[in-house]
Amino acid sequence: MDNKVVVIGQGYVGLPLALEATLAGLTVTGLDLNRGTVDGLNSGKSHVDDVSDGDIERMLEAGYKAATDPSVISGADTVVICVPTPLGEASKPDLSAVIGATKSIARYMMPGTLVVLESTTYPGTTDDLIRPLLETDGLLVDRDFHLAFSPERIDPGNPTYGLKNTPKVVGGVTPASTARALEFYQSVVDVVVPVRGAREAETAKLLENTYRHINIALVNEMSRFCHELGIDLWDVIDAASTKPFGFQAFYPGPGVGGHCIPIDPNYLSYEVKRKLGVPFRFVELAEEVNGAMPKYVVERLQDALNDQSKAMKGATVLLLGVTYKKNIADQRESPAIPVGELLKAKGATISFHDPKIQTWKLGNAEYERESELEQAVMDADAVILLQNHESYDVDALASKASLFFDTRGATKSEKAIRL
């Protein structure tokens, strides 16, 4: 039984895992290089939407602790890597944090340790990168340690599915490593799904998000055509959704955000091009379509202002919802950033409101949230709904606005313009 667990990285992936492992009765240490994060956790403060301060207090009472010193890996039965894997220059995966974490594990792990990578990456990383780093100094997988990959499936803000009740895919670099990882995760989550190996587990995560990326691009492209043809795409999607098979609804928007959709498909595209020398055309086309949506939103707003005999230059534009997803504070890769930058480049004066964000950074500028939402809506020349947080009464706000552009299809009011 894996009683002592170290989770490397205490962000949106690592902290929920540390929570569930602690609640399952395991002794958990959260390892993070950010001193502020560690101090906050040890004082009972959470920085992640889906983990409350109360959850942290329960974890601390059950023996959880956060640390910055990698020597805490010594003595751990299981070490799970949950560090960021952003894209670097030319969309090349940046695995520096993963490599750093693995080197720390190799230095401190004891014989028999289970090492699991959860950070999203390209197929083959666990076998071809992590394994050699751990097999330095004559160590061998299955004899001295076990190694597996288990993709994170965290959906921030999801009120129904969390880490515990979302099936967990697990694939080891050997059958014995798969079995060992299966045993660990079965003690933490409700359902564990073993697959043939680490490469299959790595690719499963990339397929999930590539599927979403491509289908979002499809409806984003359709939104442009339907607008020109005078067709209400939102009504079309509602109608198509009545089919009980063969259709899953996806919705257009101002762009894609978060760590998964804008980032993960590029890992798959990168590896296909690197190993096979051919482009992954679906991914590249989806990236082109989704990446163009902020510009399209600004162009639509400019057309709407022109219809009211107003210029974009000098117009006051209020952005509603600047996080990448509704009802959370996460701003990673939010389409609000390119929308805001494009509006500024065209001479608009922008302001923002978001119930989850007090201060919003856009380039070198910082904006404070509008304190009086309704007054800000009435004062603005145009309002763009970028994220439909549940606290917004969008139809009431649209009725007060001179121009209300709804990029989320949330309004029923005839006064609003929908994407």
Side-chain angles (χ1 to χ4, degrees):
M1 177 65 178
D2 298 308
N3 292 316
K4 295 182 180 179
V5 180
V6 172
V7 181
I8 305 179
Q10 292 296 274
Y12 284 87
V13 176
L15 191 57
L17 175 61
L19 169 63
E20 294 300 339
T22 301
L23 296 181
L26 305 181
T27 301
V28 180
T29 301
L31 176 59
D32 199 289
L33 297 181
N34 187 309
R35 169 58 65 181
T37 295
V38 167
D39 289 344
L41 291 171
N42 284 330
S43 63
K45 301 298 181 183
S46 176
H47 58 286
V48 171
D49 288 291
D50 292 336
V51 179
S52 68
D53 290 351
D55 289 328
I56 301 298
E57 291 291 351
R58 291 167 63 199
M59 293 168 67
L60 293 170
E61 291 171 2
Y64 167 85
K65 61 181 179 181
T68 58
D69 185 351
S71 66
V72 297
I73 294 168
S74 178
D77 301 298
T78 299
V79 183
V80 187
I81 303 172
C82 302
V83 297
T85 51
L87 292 177
E89 294 182 4
S91 295
K92 182 179 180 180
D94 180 0
L95 300 182
S96 57
V98 171
I99 293 171
T102 305
K103 289 181 176 179
S104 293
I105 295 170
R107 179 181 179 186
Y108 289 107
M109 71 177 178
M110 68 177 189
T113 299
L114 167 65
V115 179
V116 183
L117 176 63
E118 286 206 5
S119 304
T120 302
T121 183
Y122 55 82
T125 299
T126 310
D127 275 292
D128 301 336
L129 179 64
I130 306 303
R131 180 174 176 174
L133 289 173
L134 295 177
E135 288 189 330
T136 55
D137 299 326
L139 299 179
L140 289 176
V141 71
D142 288 352
R143 187 191 71 185
D144 301 297
F145 65 93
H146 293 90
L147 176 62
F149 183 84
S150 181
E152 60 90 3
R153 283 175 158 177
I154 298 295
D155 186 19
N158 191 319
T160 304
Y161 290 103
L163 187 143
K164 183 171 175 56
N165 66 345
T166 300
K168 201 84 170 72
V169 172
V170 173
V173 297
T174 64
S177 286
T178 299
R180 176 72 187 281
L182 185 67
E183 180 184 9
F184 165 65
Y185 281 108
Q186 283 174 334
S187 70
V188 177
V189 302
D190 295 340
V191 177
V192 186
V193 182
V195 295
R196 178 173 293 182
R199 282 178 167 83
E200 285 74 19
E202 290 162 339
T203 308
K205 172 62 185 292
L206 299 180
L207 176 60
E208 292 170 17
N209 286 326
T210 300
Y211 170 82
R212 293 170 65 196
H213 191 42
I214 289 171
N215 280 281
I216 291 169
L218 170 65
V219 292
N220 276 336
E221 185 111 29
M222 286 196 69
S223 71
R224 303 174 78 134
F225 297 147
C226 286
H227 171 65
E228 296 297 329
L229 295 171
I231 297 169
D232 187 336
L233 177 60
W234 305 95
D235 196 38
V236 170
I237 295 171
D238 287 343
S241 297
T242 62
K243 186 178 181 180
F245 54 90
F247 181 82
Q248 180 180 357
F250 288 84
Y251 299 93
V256 292
H259 180 270
C260 292
I261 303 303
I263 306 295
D264 293 1
N266 287 287
Y267 275 81
L268 188 54
S269 179
Y270 166 83
E271 187 66 357
V272 168
K273 185 174 292 185
R274 185 171 76 97
K275 287 286 185 66
L276 304 180
V278 297
F280 196 152
R281 291 184 291 173
F282 267 119
V283 170
E284 293 179 1
L285 180 58
E287 183 70 24
E288 179 185 336
V289 172
N290 290 333
M293 287 308 292
K295 184 174 184 288
Y296 176 66
V297 165
V298 172
E299 290 172 348
R300 283 282 303 275
L301 180 69
Q302 188 167 24
D303 290 342
L305 283 168
N306 286 340
D307 289 342
Q308 294 186 354
S309 300
K310 295 179 181 178
M312 176 72 82
K313 186 175 183 179
T316 56
V317 181
L318 173 67
L319 307 183
L320 296 185
V322 296
T323 58
Y324 91 85
K325 187 178 181 184
K326 69 178 184 179
N327 303 327
I328 65 171
D330 196 343
Q331 302 176 59
R332 292 176 297 171
E333 308 296 330
S334 171
I337 294 173
V339 168
E341 290 173 341
L342 288 166
L343 288 170
K344 287 181 66 176
K346 288 184 175 292
T349 300
I350 64 172
S351 59
F352 94 99
H353 181 277
D354 191 304
K356 299 293 184 178
I357 302 294
Q358 178 63 46
T359 303
W360 182 45
K361 294 183 179 180
L362 183 63
N364 295 324
E366 285 192 356
Y367 295 83
E368 291 298 318
R369 179 176 64 199
E370 291 290 330
S371 58
E372 299 294 335
L373 175 56
E374 290 188 5
Q375 188 62 49
V377 167
M378 290 188 288
D379 290 344
D381 292 315
V383 178
I384 309 180
L385 179 69
L386 295 175
Q387 199 52 262
N388 181 31
H389 293 293
E390 287 181 358
S391 61
Y392 288 148
D393 185 341
V394 289
D395 285 316
L397 295 174
S399 69
K400 293 177 170 63
S402 297
L403 191 163
F404 194 93
F405 184 21
D406 173 11
T407 70
R408 295 294 180 178
T411 51
K412 303 297 182 184
S413 171
E414 293 293 328
K415 188 177 180 183
I417 300 169
R418 297 204 291 180
L419 184 66

